[in-house]
Amino acid sequence: MDQLKQIHLQTIVTGVSLDPLVCSMIIIFCCNHHLGDINYARQVFDKTPQPKVFLWNTMIKGYSRTTQTQHAISMYIQMLRTNVKPDDYTFPFLLKGFTPSISSKIGKAIHSHVYKLRFDSNPAVQTSLIHMYSLYGNMDDTRRVFDTSLKNDPIAWNIMITSYNRSKLFNESKNLFDKMEKTQVKPTLITLVSILSACSKLKDINGTKHIHQYIKNNKIDPNVKLNNTLLDAYATCHEMDTALEVFTNMKTRDVISWTVILSGFLNIGKFDFARDFFDRIPVKDSISWTTMINGYVSQNRFKESLMLFKKMQDEKIEPDEFTMVSALTACANMGALELGEWVKVCIDKNHNLKIKNDVFVGNALIDMYFKCAEVGKAVDVFKKMVKEDKFTWTNMIVGYGMNGFGNEAINMFNAMMKESIKPDGVCYLGVLCACMHSGKVDEGRKLFDDMRIHHGIEPEVEHYGCMVDLLGRSGLLSEAYEFINAMPIRPNSVVWRALLGACGIYKDVDLGEIVARKLVELEPDNGAGYVLLCNIYGACNRWEDLREVRNLMMNKRVTKTPGCSCIEVYGSIHEFVVCDRSHFRCDEIYSMLERITQDLKVSGYTPKSNGKFLDFGEWG
Ligand SMILES: *[C@@H]1O[C@H](CO)[C@@H](O)[C@H](O)[C@H]1NC(C)=O
Ligand SMILES: *[C@@H]1O[C@H](CO)[C@@H](O)[C@H](O)[C@H]1NC(C)=O
Ligand SMILES: *[C@@H]1O[C@H](CO)[C@@H](O)[C@H](O)[C@H]1NC(C)=O
Ligand SMILES: *[C@@H]1O[C@H](CO)[C@@H](O)[C@H](O)[C@H]1NC(C)=O
């Protein structure tokens, strides 16, 4: 620009500065060159006597290139006012600069100019119109222009297919590619990437194979991105053998290639394979770490996920919000409060870095605190959240409920309604369970009715289960039994078990027998029904009947699923399963347990169920 300005000065000195050719050359440089200054071009342009359409086009193109599209539009309007007619280049230059921030009304107005001035059969104009419409995400309008176009420009096809992909209309994207194949137009690599990612979203293995074959047949040389998309499509279709084959044949692989294969193994449940593969990734990024950590979380292998999370910290890989949510989920499910707190410190520390402390992370924190019974801290997080979503409210309602804060859960539910957030089935389940835990029968009945009548949510079997539990625990046994009989869907064992539990509490042997029989019928191999029945007989001192049920269990070899619990000590997690003696300090633990039991007996505690909250966990 400096040199250009010097030459420009010379032309002024020598008096040729208004020569049309001189003006043109200066404007062309400023508008086309990547170092060109469009404002300088404008100054020269404004002094140029009677610029021709070529120069107007150059200015429009210059403005479009610098995304100052509003200036390009005003240039176009000014041009019409000076009675200069647009030519074949005007509209492509003008429309190419469009961004979604320009009103679509202006776009439509320009479209009607195109039509009136009869440029609508020009292929370049057609493509630029398709581009303009696609920006607004209205695929119907876009398709209408496309359908009337000549369809011989690969760029137009490309815009259509990528826009369908962006609008998540993957079917349309695929259908259009089928049409494209029948023409002579060759897809670009970007088109192929879009179409493969559509196949991946549709889990369309036939489509994927077809495109793969197409690539081979047409001797297309795929770049890494196209190969990665191909991997991804095979992996999401669970065709891991083919995915691995492609992976092995790739000349260049990046961390995305490795991560795609990793998630493929995780999706088909090959965990140990996945872990092995993960360990072999040469340079791991936060996404590959998070994929593996989250893979463990999705399999309830929380301990391993947290161990990996710690390793990630040791290797100084900066986590992102997805990593944090996975780690918090693991902490929540292990009750690992200490670690959860540490994750929170990480989040607070990295607030402005990679981790966005957004709703997503906030929700996971709330869930973690509630599951660790830290109600106050969960509420603190909630109060500090800048923005909440439906899941935030649901977490609060469910969390209050499971910690026995029935009133707070119901208040939270009402507050949510005041914010005009539409509750869903999960939300209702949360608040109904809260009613159940705090024995609020009337509120529960009302909520249950509201759910159907005012919100059109059909209750699912879990909602019925919750209501039965609520009625049963409140001693309304026959109402609960009638409620089950009136259910429009088949009650499952959870529903019956809830009532059976209540029969135990209120020592209703007759109903208990009926219900237990239903339960044993539904799940003959599950011990829980038998055990609950035993509890009832035990509570009523009907030892004969109790022995009979136990014998029945023995004969059928019914066992209870083993209980499991875990605790966190100084940040490490210890897991215990029933009858499991694998812990390295097992002997000490059992002798301590014995001492505690002795001490309890001495101070008068009898570890025998006395009929108040009986449940099968206490039996045997
Ligand atoms: C997509 O296509 C499949 C089969 O061609 C069809 O079953 C499905 O309903 C379509 N989905 C949409 C949203 O058009
Ligand atoms: C297609 O859309 C999905 C999301 O809808 C996006 O993840 C993917 O990157 C897109 N692919 C292309 C090639 O635009
Ligand atoms: C996929 O291809 C197989 C074999 O060519 C065929 O049997 C099947 O119907 C196809 N599936 C779809 C959804 O087109
Ligand atoms: C993509 O994969 C093919 C084999 O499927 C291979 O020939 C090609 O070199 C790969 N491209 C890159 C950039 O790795």
Side-chain angles (χ1 to χ4, degrees):
M1 278 309 297
D2 284 345
Q3 281 171 324
L4 182 79
K5 282 176 188 169
Q6 277 183 16
I7 298 167
H8 189 199
L9 206 60
Q10 290 281 321
T11 65
I12 294 169
V13 171
T14 54
V16 293
S17 68
L18 291 183
D19 182 286
L21 188 60
V22 171
C23 293
S24 283
M25 296 313 280
I26 293 170
I27 292 168
I28 290 171
F29 178 86
C30 293
C31 289
N32 290 350
H33 198 274
H34 71 281
L35 296 175
D37 178 353
I38 182 76
N39 296 321
Y40 197 80
R42 181 63 182 265
Q43 283 171 21
V44 177
F45 181 85
D46 285 345
K47 292 201 182 74
T48 309
Q50 289 166 342
K52 298 264 184 323
V53 63
F54 169 77
L55 222 46
W56 286 99
N57 285 348
T58 310
M59 283 305 297
I60 290 172
K61 183 181 172 192
Y63 276 127
S64 283
R65 192 172 56 86
T66 56
T67 68
Q68 297 188 44
T69 316
Q70 64 282 20
H71 290 305
I73 294 164
S74 59
M75 213 74 251
Y76 168 73
I77 293 167
Q78 224 177 309
M79 171 177 128
L80 295 183
R81 286 210 183 110
T82 56
N83 279 325
V84 175
K85 293 256 174 301
D87 69 1
D88 281 345
Y89 297 98
T90 310
F91 291 110
F93 288 160
L94 180 57
L95 289 167
K96 226 171 254 167
F98 262 61
T99 58
S101 61
I102 305 281
S103 156
S104 66
K105 281 199 189 111
I106 296 178
K108 283 196 170 148
I110 289 175
H111 187 184
S112 58
H113 283 201
V114 166
Y115 194 73
K116 258 194 297 203
L117 299 168
R118 297 181 182 280
F119 285 106
D120 51 326
S121 53
N122 176 317
V125 175
Q126 288 170 346
T127 302
S128 55
L129 278 171
I130 294 168
H131 162 75
M132 182 272 288
Y133 277 111
S134 76
L135 294 174
Y136 301 108
N138 183 339
M139 287 311 290
D140 289 341
D141 284 351
T142 317
R143 183 60 183 259
R144 219 165 290 137
V145 182
F146 179 77
D147 281 343
T148 54
S149 76
L150 291 173
K151 308 188 188 61
N152 57 7
D153 182 0
I155 297 172
W157 288 91
N158 195 26
I159 295 170
M160 287 305 295
I161 289 172
T162 48
S163 310
Y164 274 135
N165 180 53
R166 213 174 25 242
S167 312
K168 301 199 194 314
L169 297 167
F170 303 114
N171 262 12
E172 296 293 346
S173 190
K174 226 184 112 247
N175 293 341
L176 201 61
F177 184 74
D178 291 342
K179 285 213 174 97
M180 183 176 188
E181 261 193 277
K182 298 196 181 87
T183 68
Q184 294 300 309
V185 188
K186 289 273 162 279
T188 62
L189 290 187
I190 300 171
T191 316
L192 291 169
V193 168
S194 280
I195 200 72
L196 274 171
S197 74
C199 288
S200 163
K201 289 285 184 324
L202 294 168
K203 295 199 194 320
D204 177 356
I205 183 63
N206 285 9
T208 305
K209 283 182 180 158
H210 179 77
I211 308 294
H212 192 185
Q213 197 58 46
Y214 182 95
I215 291 171
K216 285 183 194 161
N217 292 350
N218 291 276
K219 306 216 165 16
I220 293 165
D221 186 23
N223 57 12
V224 180
K225 184 152 196 215
L226 181 54
N227 275 344
N228 285 347
T229 321
L230 189 61
L231 284 183
D232 178 57
Y234 277 122
T236 42
C237 294
H238 296 177
E239 290 265 335
M240 284 313 288
D241 291 344
T242 325
L244 266 181
E245 198 184 305
V246 176
F247 179 79
T248 318
N249 286 330
M250 279 169 70
K251 274 200 292 285
T252 333
R253 302 182 192 105
D254 57 15
V255 62
I256 298 174
S257 328
W258 287 86
T259 310
V260 166
I261 297 282
L262 174 65
S263 7
F265 281 132
L266 291 171
N267 286 340
I268 58 170
K270 293 208 166 175
F271 275 85
D272 299 327
F273 224 87
R275 179 54 197 264
D276 205 46
F277 193 82
F278 172 78
D279 289 336
R280 280 167 40 212
I281 302 182
V283 183
K284 306 181 188 71
D285 63 1
S286 72
I287 298 176
S288 36
W289 282 93
T290 307
T291 305
M292 193 65 221
I293 291 171
N294 196 38
Y296 281 129
V297 170
S298 69
Q299 285 296 302
N300 296 343
R301 290 165 71 167
F302 303 117
K303 190 176 169 183
E304 279 149 302
S305 82
L306 287 178
M307 271 158 44
L308 200 62
F309 178 68
K310 278 188 168 169
K311 194 155 176 245
M312 177 177 178
Q313 303 297 302
D314 292 344
E315 303 209 356
K316 308 243 178 311
I317 310 290
E318 244 189 66
D320 57 23
E321 64 267 30
F322 298 102
T323 329
M324 291 316 198
V325 169
S326 288
L328 285 172
T329 309
C331 292
N333 284 287
M334 308 239 14
L337 181 61
E338 211 175 305
L339 235 142
E341 294 276 22
W342 179 74
V343 173
K344 182 169 188 302
V345 171
C346 279
I347 294 170
D348 292 342
K349 231 174 27 199
N350 287 300
H351 187 55
N352 296 319
L353 297 173
K354 229 171 155 186
I355 304 161
K356 283 185 259 128
N357 189 358
D358 56 3
V359 187
F360 191 46
V361 174
N363 291 351
L365 272 171
I366 290 176
D367 184 48
M368 187 272 292
Y369 279 132
F370 272 131
K371 288 217 172 99
C372 296
E374 289 282 345
V375 176
K377 286 183 175 168
V379 175
D380 275 351
V381 175
F382 177 70
K383 283 189 180 145
K384 286 199 188 111
M385 276 174 79
V386 190
K387 214 178 89 189
E388 28 338 271
D389 65 9
K390 193 175 78 185
F391 300 103
T392 321
W393 292 96
T394 308
N395 279 1
M396 289 304 293
I397 294 165
V398 172
Y400 268 136
M402 78 186 163
N403 283 286
F405 290 76
N407 282 330
E408 283 79 358
I410 293 169
N411 290 344
M412 214 14 106
F413 184 81
N414 292 334
M416 178 181 115
M417 303 288 266
K418 271 212 195 84
E419 298 270 323
S420 307
I421 296 176
K422 207 175 147 36
D424 61 7
V426 180
C427 235
Y428 265 107
L429 192 59
V431 71
L432 284 175
C433 284
C435 291
M436 178 204 38
H437 285 306
S438 46
K440 295 181 178 298
V441 181
D442 293 336
E443 285 89 342
R445 280 203 200 97
K446 184 173 175 318
L447 283 163
F448 189 81
D449 290 340
D450 275 358
M451 165 174 163
R452 253 182 336 186
I453 298 164
H454 292 126
H455 293 278
I457 303 170
E458 250 338 285
E460 289 176 43
V461 71
E462 291 83 5
H463 298 100
Y464 286 103
C466 223
M467 279 307 287
V468 169
D469 215 345
L470 169 60
L471 295 170
R473 283 179 198 229
S474 315
L476 303 166
L477 296 186
S478 48
E479 185 181 339
Y481 185 52
E482 279 162 28
F483 186 83
I484 297 181
N485 286 331
M487 272 172 69
I489 50 177
R490 222 173 105 86
N492 64 7
S493 56
V494 179
V495 175
W496 287 116
R497 208 144 50 214
L499 183 53
L500 190 57
C503 292
I505 301 171
Y506 292 97
K507 297 193 187 171
D508 187 334
V509 183
D510 297 336
L511 185 57
E513 271 187 295
I514 298 174
V515 176
R517 223 176 294 130
K518 292 261 189 208
L519 199 52
V520 170
E521 214 174 89
L522 267 175
E523 296 186 324
D525 298 327
N526 187 335
Y530 302 91
V531 173
L532 282 166
L533 197 53
C534 288
N535 283 348
I536 294 174
Y537 290 143
C540 306
N541 300 326
R542 284 171 58 177
W543 306 113
E544 266 313 305
D545 293 325
L546 193 151
R547 209 161 297 131
E548 209 171 291
V549 179
R550 285 185 76 164
N551 286 340
L552 192 66
M553 275 176 86
M554 301 283 219
N555 293 342
K556 287 201 170 184
R557 299 188 189 285
V558 178
T559 52
K560 295 196 303 175
T561 36
C564 167
S565 69
C566 44
I567 58 164
E568 178 195 31
V569 181
Y570 299 126
S572 28
I573 312 291
H574 303 263
E575 245 175 328
F576 302 92
V577 182
V578 169
C579 296
D580 161 27
R581 297 189 71 98
S582 64
H583 193 273
F584 73 106
R585 294 178 70 179
C586 176
D587 290 342
E588 288 166 86
I589 292 170
Y590 272 95
S591 73
M592 188 63 187
L593 194 59
E594 215 133 277
R595 233 180 73 197
I596 294 173
T597 315
Q598 282 305 322
D599 288 356
L600 279 170
K601 273 189 189 149
V602 167
S603 56
Y605 174 79
T606 40
K608 176 175 163 288
S609 305
N610 60 7
K612 194 72 185 121
F613 288 94
L614 269 174
D615 75 33
F616 61 89
E618 292 174 39
W619 188 81

